[in-house]
Amino acid sequence: TYFGKDVSSLSLAECALLCGLPGNPRDFDPRVFPDTAVRRRRVVLSAMKRTKAIDAEEFKAADETPLASDSSRIFRSPFWLTT
């Protein structure tokens, strides 16, 4: 699970954060680099807005969503490794 819930229950902000990770999971890790993770999430949200997958209101709401305060809940996977 991610963020302590089933993937079908993730918010737009949470999905955008996860979508931004594959490009550089170490440097976009929100537990280690929260500011970088938020900037990367904004890149994903901007692309979604540009392609009309989301509107300006959805972009703004997701962009203003703070990261999970309990970083241990972000990733719960036996396959997630940190170096």
Side-chain angles (χ1 to χ4, degrees), residues 47-83:
M48 294 177 74
K49 183 179 164 202
R50 187 178 61 252
T51 61
K52 301 189 184 339
I54 61 173
D55 61 29
E57 187 176 304
E58 291 169 309
F59 171 86
K60 185 177 189 299
D63 190 47
E64 292 175 351
T65 301
L67 290 179
S69 58
D70 179 6
S71 64
S72 67
R73 293 179 55 104
I74 294 176
F75 306 109
R76 291 197 182 206
S77 172
F79 307 108
W80 188 265
L81 303 175
T82 55
T83 57

Side-chain angles (χ1 to χ4, degrees), residues 9-78:
S9 300
L10 294 176
S11 70
L12 175 59
E14 293 164 338
C15 289
L17 179 73
L18 292 174
C19 287
L21 286 175
N24 191 340
R26 183 185 55 120
D27 289 345
F28 298 142
D29 185 341
R31 297 168 300 178
V32 181
F33 303 108
D35 293 338
T36 304
V38 168
R39 284 194 301 274
R40 179 63 175 177
R41 179 181 71 182
R42 187 172 297 127
V43 168
V44 172
L45 291 168
S46 294
M48 294 177 74
K49 183 179 164 202
R50 187 178 61 252
T51 61
K52 301 189 184 339
I54 61 173
D55 61 29
E57 187 176 304
E58 291 169 309
F59 171 86
K60 185 177 189 299
D63 190 47
E64 292 175 351
T65 301
L67 290 179
S69 58
D70 179 6
S71 64
S72 67
R73 293 179 55 104
I74 294 176
F75 306 109
R76 291 197 182 206
S77 172

Side-chain angles (χ1 to χ4, degrees), residues 2-14:
Y2 299 99
F3 301 96
K5 53 185 148 179
D6 185 74
V7 70
S8 64
S9 300
L10 294 176
S11 70
L12 175 59
E14 293 164 338

